[in-house]
Amino acid sequence: MSLSDARSALGAPSLSGRWRTVALLLPLAALNTAVFLVPMAYLLRLSFTARTPQGAFVEGSLSLDGYRYVVETPLVHDIFGFTLLFGVLVTALAVLVSVLYAYAAWRAAGGWRALLLGGAVLSLFTTIVVKLFAVVLVFSPRGVLNDALTELGVIASPLLLIDNLAGAVIAQLYIVVPYGVLAVYAVLSTLDDRQVEAALDLGADRPRVFREVVLPHARPGIAVAGIISFTWSVGAYPAPLLLGSGSEQTTAILVSQLLLTDFDWPAAAAVAVVTVSLVLTTLLLGLRRLGSGGELLG
């Protein structure tokens, strides 16, 4: 007797496919409402309160002071500009590194593949503080990289790779690249090796096979890697704060300063709302292109 027959014999209620889907989605919807929609609604409401030097904000008020601060303050414009530049730069580098690393892992065999993938996965279990400390150990003027290059005679004096834009970018890459690698590799693992062999048999060299066979197949993974890298980099806080200089200030650092130092909650909420809106717009555009067949990059 099948399970459906047993339920019918016992008189157990059965749900249609649509209601089963609704029942499965209800817990997820409740979780999203509790941890995302409600806090975002409060943040949005807070961004429309009046600013005051006597406290964080004026209770029950309705004002555009926070958004006026965003529109009228040149420093905020510069910070938003740097944030976007930082996000685009990190995303471009992260996608490049992720594609090359994932391709190397896909082409590798046996222990080498396990080693490459294990390195990416292990990085996900490492806290951000440890990752940033590793950046300092490797790229500081007296770090491993500079010591090796100096001893080999490649450079005469240490390179300044931290406490500047380069340090912030490198640190952020440490955070986002593992996600990009796994996203691209997950798609490459579905590529039939026979397609590559057929292209080689037809006279294409390895670079052309990579351009015309591998990359088109990996587009959805590349798109996901780009979305993850951009959203994480636009909201970057620890990497530019700890490995950059005072000039590498993102909107996340500005929100922290307005919230915890200046106690200007309406301005902080307005900056946060604009940043989140930018990230969500990028995410929705990316998902829309993916939903149309994964042709995000072409």
Side-chain angles (χ1 to χ4, degrees), residues 153-178:
V154 177
I155 56 176
S157 59
L159 301 174
L160 298 179
L161 298 176
I162 63 172
D163 295 329
N164 49 27
L165 177 60
V169 171
I170 293 172
Q172 189 64 22
L173 288 174
Y174 264 60
I175 296 172
V176 301
V177 162

Side-chain angles (χ1 to χ4, degrees), residues 191-205:
L191 177 59
D192 192 345
D193 290 338
R194 291 175 296 182
Q195 297 183 27
V196 176
E197 297 301 329
L200 292 173
D201 291 341
L202 291 173
D205 54 12

Side-chain angles (χ1 to χ4, degrees), residues 58-223:
V58 179
E59 293 279 358
S61 62
L62 187 62
S63 172
L64 294 175
D65 286 350
Y67 293 98
R68 191 174 295 113
Y69 167 82
V70 173
V71 172
E72 296 178 355
T73 307
L75 177 61
V76 176
H77 304 165
D78 294 339
I79 292 175
F80 266 104
F82 171 78
T83 301
L84 291 175
L85 175 63
F86 183 76
V88 171
L89 178 60
V90 171
T91 299
L93 293 175
V95 168
L96 176 62
V97 173
S98 298
V99 170
L100 295 178
Y101 192 105
Y103 179 73
W106 179 68
R107 293 294 304 172
W112 285 109
R113 176 179 295 181
L115 181 63
L116 291 172
L117 293 179
V121 173
L122 182 62
S123 178
L124 299 180
F125 294 100
T126 306
T127 63
I128 292 179
V129 175
V130 174
K131 291 180 182 180
L132 298 185
F133 184 62
V135 174
V136 175
L137 291 178
V138 175
F139 295 98
S140 66
R142 296 305 303 271
V144 176
L145 179 63
N146 273 307
D147 285 348
L149 294 177
T150 303
E151 291 179 2
L152 292 174
V154 177
I155 56 176
S157 59
L159 301 174
L160 298 179
L161 298 176
I162 63 172
D163 295 329
N164 49 27
L165 177 60
V169 171
I170 293 172
Q172 189 64 22
L173 288 174
Y174 264 60
I175 296 172
V176 301
V177 162
Y179 297 96
V181 169
L182 296 180
V184 177
Y185 179 81
V187 179
L188 283 180
S189 62
T190 64
L191 177 59
D192 192 345
D193 290 338
R194 291 175 296 182
Q195 297 183 27
V196 176
E197 297 301 329
L200 292 173
D201 291 341
L202 291 173
D205 54 12
R206 286 287 180 183
R208 185 175 181 183
V209 171
F210 180 78
R211 292 194 311 269
E212 300 185 10
V213 177
V214 176
L215 280 183
H217 184 86
R219 279 175 178 169
I222 296 173

Side-chain angles (χ1 to χ4, degrees), residues 262-274:
D262 301 338
F263 295 100
D264 192 347
W265 289 20
V271 173
V273 168
V274 174

Side-chain angles (χ1 to χ4, degrees), residues 217-232:
H217 184 86
R219 279 175 178 169
I222 296 173
V224 172
I227 291 173
I228 293 175
S229 300
F230 183 77
T231 53
W232 275 61

